[in-house]
């Protein structure tokens, strides 16, 4: 029997996993080419168009004459080289096929909708249908999914791959590099997937048995049965029985109500969370919902997800953060280059640079807001002008939807406070309906310590006092403006930070779902000024 | 209805055969008229271009995308021009198609 090989790393998400290793091929490790060539993008689009034509032709074969007329029209449109030409310019300017396609078609559709002829305006929907059909054909499954139940072993793991994978059969993650602050680590913690990072490279065959004891940051290759049994026996259950039944309301020891909302990264998580334990969704990250550019550009896909969150929340408010792309969260084909600076074109800067993308999401948000209490949070806002520019997009899209006879509601639009300059100047954001501290990024910008960089992780951890000082100031500014303010960073899920956050005056916390029991019980033991209850 | 193009004398300028006609049937009324028009235009080896309401912009009459984008409606003044082989024949055929309201009524069996 081969001797067990034991490796240590850093715990990114606790728990025990045992399974067959899926060793990610070196080439498949987070390296989407930063920009596919124009020729490749053109080829992808041509294939998607031909796939859409084939679908329509198959549909036409089993349709009545009236429908065939419409389908014929759509097929003729798709076969017209003018459509591809319209997208060409944008692809030459560096857009991926999906974005170029949607931008060109949206502009074209808007042209038809401006027509004075109602009958012609009615044709717009057929073109919308074409747009979506090709977009769907462009949707590629993220490459290299791995067998359910296996332990992913590789240099790094992309969030999209994590989200596309079925974790219901268990499994875990071991990364040679990686960081506890990475997005995939955040996702793993939210889903209780054991994860160990920074193990350094080690030898392991694909399919070999591997044991992950994440809490101890230990990985064992080819463990013996006794070792596996022992690990499983000592692993604390993630959901230990609570002494008191939990409800949505939480109170400090001195009786002050604290609002606890859920952080949601993936619509699939909703099914696993009991809505009765939360007062709605405090932060829904939309960039992780979209595993491909085609999805990010699909208004209906956005709308469906927002509807799902609203249904989950019942009547409670749901705060959706607009796509936070760029920096360490690139979406191939839409933008944000891998390895781009986390202080570059990302968050709202990216959305304003790609207004088509923002408009698609704004439309879906406006429509969904008519169906429940939906608020919109803008990522990485630095100056008030950015908020104004986004508000203008929402207003323009709202007008256009109303003209089309679509039911919309203007959501409250708030600012995510994660750039130090904004945090210091909250009083200037008079048009922001609410504020929410994003402490993950705030800490990295305050400390000039990239959170994906393991070598400066200690600085990142040491950020708390500086972050707290900014929070104290921010809460005072928001109160003076009579605007709600909360926190949706991971700090709010950490019991050790809760006294400081309460003392700073925060009363609304958005929490990672599997930490809710801890957070609630810690809050119950603290006074609203953050001091421990006596006796 | 007569499917053979009626012989008319299209104007000829700069080597183009050209004609002008008011659209009595909205192009937008149905997806089919634009399909019929572009298919007919493509059946000729010459170039076919259209201009709507003296916009000064000439678009390919063989492109359904361009035709839809031109937002032609009932009452629009449509200019059609063609150059090359069988240009005058193309102009006559396309004009006749517009005059026949794109054969729409007939296809729907609603002919009076």
């Amino acid at each position: 029997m081969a001797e067990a090989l034991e490796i240590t790393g850093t715990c990114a998400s606790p728990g025990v996993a045992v399974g067959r290793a899926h060793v990610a091929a070196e080439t498949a490790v987070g390296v989407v080419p930063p920009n596919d060539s124009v020729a490749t993008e053109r080829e992808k689009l041509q294939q998607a168009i031909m796939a859409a034509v084939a679908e329509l032709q198959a549909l036409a074969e089993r349709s009545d004459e009236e429908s065939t007329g419409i389908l014929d029209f759509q097929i003729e449109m798709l076969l017209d080289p003018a459509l591809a030409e319209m997208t060409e310019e944008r692809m030459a300017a560096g857009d991926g096929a999906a974005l170029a396609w949607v931008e060109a078609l949206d502009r074209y559709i808007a042209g038809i909708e401006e027509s004075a002829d109602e009958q012609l305006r009615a044709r717009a929907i057929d073109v919308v249908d074409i747009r979506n059909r090709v977009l769907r054909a462009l949707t590629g499954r993220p490459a290299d999914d791995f067998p359910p139940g296996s332990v992913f072993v590789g240099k790094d793991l992309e969030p999209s791959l994590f989200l596309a994978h079925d974790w219901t059969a268990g499994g875990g993650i071991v990364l040679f590099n990686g960081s506890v602050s990475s997005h995939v680590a955040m996702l793993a913690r939210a889903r209780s997937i054991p994860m160990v990072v920074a193990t350094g490279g080690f030898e392991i065959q694909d399919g070999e048995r591997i044991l992950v004891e994440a809490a101890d940051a230990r990985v064992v290759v080819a463990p013996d049965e006794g070792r596996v049994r022992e690990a499983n026996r000592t692993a604390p259950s993630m959901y230990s029985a609570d002494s008191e039944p939990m409800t949505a309301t939480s109170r400090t020891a001195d009786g002050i109500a604290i609002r606890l909302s859920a952080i949601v990264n993936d619509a699939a998580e909703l099914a696993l969370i009991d809505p009765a334990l939360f007062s709605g969704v405090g932060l829904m990250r939309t960039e992780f919902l979209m595993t491909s550019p085609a999805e990010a550009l699909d208004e209906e896909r956005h709308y469906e997800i927002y509807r799902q969150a609203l249904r989950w929340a019942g009547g409670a408010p749901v705060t959706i953060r607009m796509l936070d792309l760029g920096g360490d969260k690139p979406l191939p084909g839409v933008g944000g280059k891998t390895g781009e600076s986390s202080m570059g074109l990302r968050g709202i800067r990216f959305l304003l640079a790609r207004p088509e993308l923002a408009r698609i999401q704004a439309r879906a948000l406006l429509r969904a807001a008519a169906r429940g209490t939906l608020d919109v949070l803008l990522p990485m806002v630095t100056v008030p002008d950015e908020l104004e520019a986004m508000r203008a997009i929402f207003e323009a899209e709202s007008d256009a939807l109303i003209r089309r006879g679509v039911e919309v509601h203007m959501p409250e639009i708030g600012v995510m406070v994660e750039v130090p300059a904004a945090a210091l100047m909250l009083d200037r954001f008079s048009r922001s309906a609410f504020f929410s501290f994003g402490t993950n990024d705030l800490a990295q910008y305050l400390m000039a310590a990239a959170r994906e960089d393991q070598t400066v992780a200690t600085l990142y951890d040491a950020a708390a006092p500086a972050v707290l000082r900014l929070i104290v100031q921010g809460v005072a500014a928001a109160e003076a403006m009579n605007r709600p303010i909360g926190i949706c960073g991971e700090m709010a899920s950490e019991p050790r930070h809760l006294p400081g956050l309460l003392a700073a005056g925060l009363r609304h916390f958005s929490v990672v779902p599997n930490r809710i029991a801890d957070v609630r019980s810690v809050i119950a033991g603290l006074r609203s000024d953050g001091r421990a209850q006596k006796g | 209805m007569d499917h053979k193009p009626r012989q008319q004398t299209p104007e000829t300028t700069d080597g183009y055969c050209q004609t002008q006609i008011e659209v009595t049937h909205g192009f937008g009324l149905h997806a089919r008229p634009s399909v019929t028009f572009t298919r007919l235009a493509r059946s000729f080896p010459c170039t076919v271009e259209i201009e709507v309401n003296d916009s000064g912009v000439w678009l390919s009459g063989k492109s359904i995308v361009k035709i839809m984008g031109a937002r032609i409606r009932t009452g629009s003044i449509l200019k059609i021009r063609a150059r090359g082989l069988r240009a005058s024949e193309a102009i006559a055929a396309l004009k006749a198609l517009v005059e026949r309201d794109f054969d729409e009524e007939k296809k729907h069996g609603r002919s009076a």
Side-chain angles (χ1 to χ4, degrees), chain A residues 65-66 68-70 72-73 76-78 80 82-83 85-86 108 111-112 114-117 119-120 123 126-127, chain B residues 26-32 34-35 38-39 42 62-74 107-108:
Chain A
E65 199 201 348
E66 189 74 16
T68 308
I70 294 290
D72 263 359
F73 164 75
E76 287 283 335
M77 290 284 284
L78 285 171
D80 190 337
L83 272 190
E85 281 162 23
M86 278 161 37
Y108 182 74
I112 295 178
E114 276 168 24
S115 167
D117 188 317
Q119 301 284 355
L120 179 55
R123 291 283 69 78
D126 299 324
V127 186
Chain B
F27 251 85
L29 188 63
H30 200 285
R32 199 143 30 196
S34 43
V35 175
T38 48
R39 278 185 181 162
R42 284 205 305 269
K62 297 185 176 187
S63 163
I64 189 166
V65 170
K66 300 286 183 196
I67 293 217
M68 287 295 293
R71 295 184 242 157
I72 303 162
R73 57 188 298 224
T74 310
K107 274 196 177 161
H108 287 204

Side-chain angles (χ1 to χ4, degrees), chain A residues 25-68:
Chain A
E26 197 69 9
T27 50
V29 187
V31 284
V32 186
N35 268 329
D36 269 348
S37 70
V38 176
T40 315
E41 293 298 311
R42 190 187 294 133
E43 179 61 25
K44 271 196 264 180
L45 182 60
Q46 270 316 319
Q47 280 175 9
I49 289 177
M50 292 327 288
V53 168
E55 278 172 31
L56 289 169
Q57 277 165 345
L59 206 56
E61 274 168 28
R62 46 177 198 273
S63 299
D64 58 82
E65 199 201 348
E66 189 74 16
S67 317
T68 308

Side-chain angles (χ1 to χ4, degrees), chain A residues 464 468-469 471-472 491 494-507 509 526 528-531:
Chain A
L468 276 171
R469 193 172 286 190
I471 288 177
V472 170
M491 224 176 147
E494 292 280 348
R496 68 193 157 104
H497 291 314
L498 289 171
L501 295 172
L502 283 172
L506 286 175
R507 298 293 178 258
F509 297 78
L526 292 169
S528 55
D529 61 5
R531 285 183 298 158

Side-chain angles (χ1 to χ4, degrees), chain A residues 318-336:
Chain A
V318 171
T319 304
I320 312 272
R321 185 175 72 182
M322 288 189 83
L323 288 165
D324 183 16
L325 296 169
D328 55 340
K329 287 180 281 193
L331 188 55
V334 174

Side-chain angles (χ1 to χ4, degrees), chain A residues 11-338:
Chain A
C11 172
S13 174
V16 169
V18 60
R20 300 279 161 202
H22 167 79
V23 183
E26 197 69 9
T27 50
V29 187
V31 284
V32 186
N35 268 329
D36 269 348
S37 70
V38 176
T40 315
E41 293 298 311
R42 190 187 294 133
E43 179 61 25
K44 271 196 264 180
L45 182 60
Q46 270 316 319
Q47 280 175 9
I49 289 177
M50 292 327 288
V53 168
E55 278 172 31
L56 289 169
Q57 277 165 345
L59 206 56
E61 274 168 28
R62 46 177 198 273
S63 299
D64 58 82
E65 199 201 348
E66 189 74 16
S67 317
T68 308
I70 294 290
L71 294 169
D72 263 359
F73 164 75
Q74 294 185 317
I75 292 168
E76 287 283 335
M77 290 284 284
L78 285 171
L79 292 176
D80 190 337
L83 272 190
E85 281 162 23
M86 278 161 37
T87 61
E88 196 81 345
E89 215 177 291
R90 289 165 177 281
M91 284 196 278
D95 281 353
L99 182 62
W101 171 257
V102 170
E103 284 179 337
L105 271 277
D106 271 2
R107 188 187 291 182
Y108 182 74
I109 291 161
I112 295 178
E113 284 180 335
E114 276 168 24
S115 167
D117 188 317
E118 196 194 323
Q119 301 284 355
L120 179 55
R121 285 203 301 276
R123 291 283 69 78
I125 189 66
D126 299 324
V127 186
V128 169
D129 188 38
I130 291 172
R131 179 195 70 193
N132 293 345
R133 197 176 283 277
V134 172
L135 199 52
R136 281 197 297 272
L138 275 169
T139 312
R141 294 278 304 161
D144 297 332
D145 192 10
F146 42 100
S150 52
V151 173
F152 180 97
V153 180
K155 256 193 189 160
D156 212 339
L157 174 59
E158 291 164 74
S160 63
L161 194 51
F162 178 97
L163 290 168
H165 183 69
D166 179 4
W167 292 102
T168 50
I173 303 166
V174 178
L175 300 182
F176 305 151
N177 303 343
S179 150
V180 295
S181 314
S182 70
H183 287 109
V184 78
M186 222 162 68
L187 293 170
R189 286 194 288 277
R191 295 271 197 93
S192 302
I193 308 298
M195 176 170 174
V196 173
V197 299
T199 58
F202 59 87
E203 284 294 314
I204 183 167
Q205 298 298 311
D206 198 61
E208 203 165 352
R209 204 139 182 262
I210 182 169
L211 168 70
V212 184
E213 293 177 277
D216 300 332
R218 211 172 16 237
V219 176
V220 187
V221 179
D224 59 54
E225 271 315 307
R227 183 71 194 266
V228 172
R229 270 198 307 275
E230 176 72 7
N232 277 325
R233 198 166 52 80
T234 52
S237 163
M238 280 311 294
Y239 298 98
S240 48
D242 287 296
S243 44
E244 282 175 50
M246 296 199 291
T247 61
T249 33
S250 181
R251 288 193 183 277
T252 57
D254 52 344
I256 300 298
I258 303 295
R259 201 174 138 205
L260 297 180
S261 307
I263 292 179
V264 177
N265 297 309
D266 177 3
E269 282 174 19
L270 292 169
L272 309 171
I273 317 169
D274 180 357
L277 304 182
F278 296 90
S279 56
V281 175
L283 170 68
M284 186 172 203
R285 295 187 169 92
T286 54
E287 58 280 0
F288 296 144
L289 308 175
M290 311 297 162
T291 54
S292 74
E295 286 189 345
L297 296 163
D298 189 337
E299 182 183 324
E300 293 312 311
R301 163 103 178 129
H302 280 273
Y303 176 72
E304 265 318 304
I305 290 169
Y306 307 154
R307 288 277 291 132
Q308 224 175 310
L310 288 168
R311 277 195 292 267
W312 176 86
V318 171
T319 304
I320 312 272
R321 185 175 72 182
M322 288 189 83
L323 288 165
D324 183 16
L325 296 169
D328 55 340
K329 287 180 281 193
L331 188 55
V334 174
K337 298 186 190 83
T338 309

